[in-house]
Amino acid sequence: MKLCILGFGAVGRGVAKVISMKKEEMKEKYGLDLKITAVTDTSGAAIYDEGLDPNLLLKIKEDTGKISNYPEYGISKISNMEVLHKVDFDCLIEVTPTDIENGEPAKSHILKAFNDKKDVVTSNKGPLALSFRELAESAKENNVQLKYEASVGGAMPILNFAHDTLPSCNIKSIFGILNGTTNYILSRMAKEGSSYEQILKESQEMGIAETNPAQDVEGTDAACKVVILANSIMNRDVTLKDVEIVGISKITQEAISLARNEGYLIKLIGEISEDTLEVSPRLVREGSPFAVDGTLNVATLKTDLAEDVTVVGKGAGSIETASAILSDIISIYKSKE
Ligand code: HSE
């Protein structure tokens, strides 16, 4: 299976790493031969139809910051659209930064791939949160697959879990911590009393925050996930503007300490229920399933038949997010066997 990876930030590099780690295992377990035929970043691209070396891609990016320096197959200043025209691939891995104004240019990349009858795996929340129906319909019309497990909760299994493991159930509501960066900030503030700014800086260095970290702390990243969950597994037709959003930037150390003294933690919670589509800081009891630390995400799905089902897992991180992307790639491959 030939992969074209657009974007070589934390997630794109995670994909190269997991492919390097799992290439042989994929062949043995599933007969899946993964080849990266193109990778892009803002400098240009590396393109090779016989497959680029994932370790060399990572080394070149780390040493020089530019994927276009890849020996022999590097190309400067080629656009992502030109790469999509030029490259031979089966599945697009769209992992460029999330844009929450219009979902571009990721949305155009995805639609171009669909028109060319290619499947798409993405972690990009912008196009999904703003144009979910349009993308789903285009995939259907072109008879290709759109998979996006990595877009909600990184490695926390929720979308495929709801579709594939709970297909007997209607999901009535979802209540969850859907942003790793803010959970990391809030739990560190609660434990150590370190300053908000210092911890936010660390989250950026760890590669868990968005390229624009305001999206994390102002709650828009979690709101994108609320929209994706509502559309994907609760059959709604909503977009980002339908979500009421309050972030964590005004949460003070005093508020956290006060809550702790009463046995509570402050968490940024997303809620999707019959009359609520919201992201806001709320109190959760210490010791409850929502009292998860660090970059963990957690979500409770209220169902008609199975009652409450709660999932938890790392909500951000390069390898963790790439694990969900690789699972989607495997799922597409298996569906064609
Ligand atoms: N910045 C996001 C988070 C990345 O912290 O959850 C995963 O979507």
Side-chain angles (χ1 to χ4, degrees):
M1 190 172 185
K2 292 181 171 180
L3 307 174
C4 170
I5 304 176
L6 295 189
F8 212 48
V11 180
R13 294 198 302 274
V15 173
K17 273 183 214 149
V18 299
I19 288 176
S20 163
M21 288 157 70
K22 295 271 178 172
K23 196 169 159 51
E24 291 312 310
E25 190 182 323
M26 293 298 103
K27 259 192 216 152
E28 278 164 31
K29 257 174 134 171
Y30 309 117
L32 168 58
D33 185 13
L34 289 171
K35 277 193 182 136
I36 302 173
T37 54
V39 172
T40 70
D41 67 6
T42 48
S43 76
I47 299 176
Y48 180 41
D49 282 354
E50 295 307 312
L52 299 157
D53 174 352
N55 293 321
L56 188 53
L57 285 166
L58 291 163
K59 186 171 168 16
I60 297 291
K61 182 72 179 175
E62 183 161 343
D63 290 352
T64 75
K66 292 180 179 178
I67 213 61
S68 55
N69 285 332
Y70 192 97
E72 209 175 330
Y73 305 115
I75 306 175
S76 293
K77 294 188 184 140
I78 184 171
S79 74
N80 282 323
M81 245 347 159
E82 284 171 293
V83 170
L84 289 177
H85 277 286
K86 189 178 161 76
V87 171
D88 179 21
F89 68 98
D90 305 301
C91 182
L92 167 64
I93 313 299
E94 217 301 341
V95 288
T96 61
T98 290
D99 172 277
I100 52 163
E101 299 304 321
N102 56 18
E104 293 291 3
K107 180 180 164 187
S108 298
H109 300 156
I110 295 173
L111 289 172
K112 157 85 180 133
F114 288 163
N115 284 330
D116 293 342
K117 312 295 175 205
K118 314 289 185 187
D119 301 305
V120 176
V121 174
T122 187
S123 60
N124 200 318
K125 289 152 280 194
L128 294 166
L130 296 165
S131 311
F132 188 88
R133 290 280 157 236
E134 184 185 345
L135 293 173
E137 273 158 29
S138 173
K140 204 170 165 200
E141 273 165 24
N142 287 291
N143 201 19
V144 292
Q145 295 186 54
L146 169 62
K147 304 277 289 178
Y148 44 90
E149 179 66 51
S151 69
V152 178
M156 173 179 73
I158 186 159
L159 289 155
N160 295 332
F161 176 76
H163 285 293
D164 302 336
T165 309
L166 296 174
S168 60
C169 295
N170 280 323
I171 313 292
K172 299 285 182 198
S173 67
I174 301 174
F175 187 82
I177 296 173
L178 302 172
N179 179 271
T181 302
T182 48
N183 203 48
Y184 180 76
I185 294 172
L186 291 171
S187 41
R188 287 276 307 274
M189 281 173 85
K191 282 218 167 93
E192 303 156 27
S194 325
S195 86
Y196 169 89
E197 288 77 14
Q198 172 60 27
I199 308 169
L200 175 59
K201 196 163 159 269
E202 275 176 41
S203 343
Q204 287 176 279
E205 282 159 9
M206 286 161 67
I208 58 172
E210 293 303 297
T211 307
N212 172 5
Q215 288 176 13
D216 294 292
V217 295
E218 299 303 341
T220 29
D221 176 79
C224 286
K225 292 160 181 168
V226 158
V227 169
I228 297 167
L229 290 171
N231 288 330
S232 179
I233 61 182
M234 293 170 73
N235 209 23
R236 301 282 182 85
D237 186 5
V238 292
T239 79
L240 203 47
K241 65 177 168 24
D242 299 312
V243 188
E244 278 184 46
I245 310 171
V246 181
I248 65 156
S249 57
K250 296 203 171 70
I251 302 289
T252 58
Q253 190 61 59
E254 291 67 39
I256 290 175
S257 303
L258 221 69
R260 273 210 104 173
N261 292 342
E262 300 297 318
Y264 288 94
L265 298 166
I266 299 178
K267 298 289 187 187
L268 186 67
I269 301 287
E271 179 181 341
I272 309 147
S273 55
E274 204 168 293
D275 40 24
T276 308
L277 214 53
E278 185 179 305
V279 171
S280 58
R282 298 198 201 174
L283 296 172
V284 305
R285 270 223 172 273
E286 279 200 74
S288 80
F290 281 74
V292 294
D293 270 358
T295 58
L296 283 172
N297 280 191
V298 57
T300 293
L301 296 85
K302 281 198 180 301
T303 77
D304 54 351
L305 299 181
E307 297 204 356
D308 288 6
V309 182
T310 298
V311 288
V312 60
K314 286 278 168 73
S318 171
I319 298 288
E320 293 86 343
T321 306
S323 78
I325 290 181
L326 182 58
S327 294
D328 277 347
I329 294 169
I330 296 166
S331 155
I332 290 175
Y333 173 75
K334 283 181 158 180
S335 73
K336 294 179 196 287
E337 276 186 317

